[in-house]
């Protein structure tokens, strides 16, 4: 009889050695990436509680890195809680599904918004047999239409893509709430730093974190914030549907978020400078930037945005069709022709063939998105270098 253990085999050692950190009160200045999909407990009671979501045990139920990101986003939104998702689209889908819509119910969404959102909502509306109504939320008639339609769900975008219209959210919220609708605001274009949409009447504030919040285009993600009562059901659905954000993506997004306030201030200053310089070019027929006094929604933007007007600028090359717009993209030397936004690099896109690609030609025309429209996500390069590059490429288009 021996209580001595036999020397462990390399097979066992290779798996069990080095699996627990020594006791320590050190707090790492940046969190670790918790790659473990599952954890174990010395106590079976602790495991039991963890399976109820009270501790970390399985990433799909609750992940360390996603919890940290949720805490940071909720803090920036001034929200009780936030839930992260594998993408902005997954977040939008979750919010739509959470409404428990019945056949014949109505959903309102922006006519001039993100094309993929429109395509997703069309698909969900067909599946759930609900009616979809597209409105230009920045037009004064939008509030009357909402009251008349009596929808269950209203989606607005804080700044539309790509025309940069800024709807009067408090007015839209009053209209939506007067008929008992839930107002979801996709604030991807402004970020929670420039606009806290929950304080302006939104019931849920949604973002594609892939854009400004991450800021470096190295992780896809989405987030929804609001009261605990509204966010908890989204989390519960996420546990079952599996639309989670992985630990690496959560970690990268949180690292990007650390500099979001300073980046948004700089992106806004650079964008204003670039917009002013674009206006001076004779071949540029229209420049859209909410920070310019001649933008149709400048007054609304001044009231609702704090600390800047964002990094997005749109403009039209006089008389350009798709061919000339494509030639402009190819003539860029510094700015990158890429269909996204919110990066430290300046990203330039032809709206009709990229973000509005999923719209029908009629929907594009109704939204006012022509072949000459170019969208710029102004980066952190020297703003004069950005403007010089855009202007030389316009000259060669
Ligand atoms: C990109 C984007 C989305 C979708 O987000 P993904 O992270 O790409 O899924 C939704 N809304 C707006 C306004 C966007 O720009």
């Amino acid at each position: 009889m021996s209580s001595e253990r036999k020397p462990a085999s390399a097979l066992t050692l290779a798996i069990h050695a080095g699996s627990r950190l020594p006791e320590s009160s050190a707090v790492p200045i940046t969190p670790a990436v918790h790659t473990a999909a599952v954890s174990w407990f010395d106590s079976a009671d602790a495991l039991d509680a963890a399976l109820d979501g009270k501790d970390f045990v399985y990433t799909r139920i609750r992940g360390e890195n996603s919890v940290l990101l949720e805490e940071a986003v909720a803090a920036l939104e001034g929200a009780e809680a936030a839930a992260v998702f594998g993408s902005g689209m997954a977040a939008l889908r979750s919010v739509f599904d959470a409404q428990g819509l019945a056949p014949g119910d109505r959903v309102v969404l922006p006519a001039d918004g993100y094309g993929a959102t429109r395509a997703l909502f069309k698909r969900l509306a067909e599946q759930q047999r609900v009616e979809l109504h597209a409105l230009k939320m920045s037009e004064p008639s939008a509030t009357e239409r909402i009251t008349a339609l009596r929808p269950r769900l209203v989606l607005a975008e804080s700044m539309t893509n790509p025309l940069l219209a800024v709807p009067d959210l408090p007015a839209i919220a009053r209209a939506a709430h007067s008929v008992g609708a839930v107002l979801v605001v996709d604030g991807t274009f402004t970020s929670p730093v420039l606009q806290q949409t929950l304080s302006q009447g939104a019931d849920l504030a949604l973002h594609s974190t892939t854009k400004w919040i991450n800021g470096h285009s190295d992780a896809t993600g989405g987030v929804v914030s609001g009261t605990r009562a509204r966010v908890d059901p989204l989390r519960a659905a996420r546990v079952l549907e599996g639309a989670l954000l992985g630990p690496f993506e959560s970690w990268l997004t949180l690292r990007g978020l650390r500099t979001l306030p300073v980046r948004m201030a700089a992106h806004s200053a650079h964008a204003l400078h670039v917009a002013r310089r674009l206006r001076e070019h004779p071949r540029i027929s229209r420049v859209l930037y909410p920070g310019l006094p001649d933008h149709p929604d400048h007054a609304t933007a001044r009231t609702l945005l704090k600390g800047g007007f964002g990094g997005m600028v749109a403009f039209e090359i006089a008389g350009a069709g798709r061919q000339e717009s494509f030639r402009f993209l190819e003539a860029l030397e510094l700015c990158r022709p890429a269909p996204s936004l919110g990066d430290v690099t300046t990203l330039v896109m032809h709206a009709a063939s990229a973000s509005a690609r999923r719209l029908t030609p009629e929907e594009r025309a109704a939204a006012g998105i022509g072949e000459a429209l170019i969208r710029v996500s102004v980066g952190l390069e020297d703003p004069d270098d950005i403007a010089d590059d855009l202007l030389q490429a316009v000259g060669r288009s």
Side-chain angles (χ1 to χ4, degrees), residues 6-225:
K6 67 178 158 82
S9 105
L11 279 173
T12 301
L13 284 174
I15 289 171
H16 287 273
S19 55
R20 256 196 209 214
L21 281 175
E23 283 286 320
S24 166
S25 58
V27 182
I29 197 76
T30 183
V33 186
H34 290 261
T35 55
V38 65
S39 301
W40 65 279
F41 296 82
D42 290 317
S43 136
D45 285 339
L47 169 61
D48 199 45
L51 284 168
D52 271 339
K54 297 188 180 102
D55 202 346
F56 302 104
V57 62
Y58 190 69
T59 305
R60 179 164 48 73
I61 302 174
R62 193 160 176 253
E64 290 88 341
N65 292 100
S66 56
V67 161
L68 290 173
L69 177 59
E70 286 169 349
E71 209 175 288
V73 172
L76 290 182
E77 290 282 18
E80 278 177 15
V84 291
F85 293 87
S87 66
M89 299 310 291
L92 282 158
R93 195 225 155 111
S94 174
V95 160
F96 192 106
D97 284 345
Q99 305 313 315
L101 300 172
D105 279 347
R106 292 179 181 147
V107 171
V108 166
L109 85 173
D112 47 353
Y114 187 56
T117 302
R118 184 89 170 257
L120 170 70
F121 273 34
K122 258 188 213 166
R123 184 187 149 98
L124 294 174
E126 266 166 37
Q127 286 169 352
Q128 300 178 24
R129 284 179 285 139
V130 303
E131 278 179 33
L132 211 52
H133 294 267
L135 303 184
K136 265 197 173 175
M137 301 284 178
S138 51
E139 282 178 358
S141 60
T143 53
E144 285 159 39
R145 293 286 311 280
I146 289 169
T147 331
L149 282 166
R150 307 188 71 79
R152 294 269 319 277
L153 172 66
V154 175
L155 174 76
E157 291 180 9
S158 63
M159 188 183 281
T160 67
N161 176 12
L163 289 171
L164 315 180
V166 180
D168 182 353
L169 286 186
I172 288 175
R174 278 193 298 277
H177 293 155
S178 74
V179 293
V182 168
L183 175 63
V184 178
V185 177
D186 180 338
T188 300
F189 269 48
T190 50
S191 92
V193 165
L194 299 184
Q195 194 175 5
Q196 290 183 314
T197 59
L198 294 170
S199 73
Q200 297 168 3
D203 299 302
L204 288 167
L206 181 148
H207 298 270
S208 162
T209 62
T210 318
K211 316 294 170 52
W212 299 111
I213 292 180
N214 170 289
H216 302 74
S217 305
D218 52 14
T220 303
V223 66
V224 185
S225 309

Side-chain angles (χ1 to χ4, degrees), residues 295-319:
H295 187 280
D297 300 326
H298 179 63
T300 312
R302 281 183 75 104
T303 315
L304 300 183
L305 273 69
K306 295 282 173 282
F309 295 92
M312 303 305 295
V313 175
F315 67 93
E316 282 178 351
I317 305 172

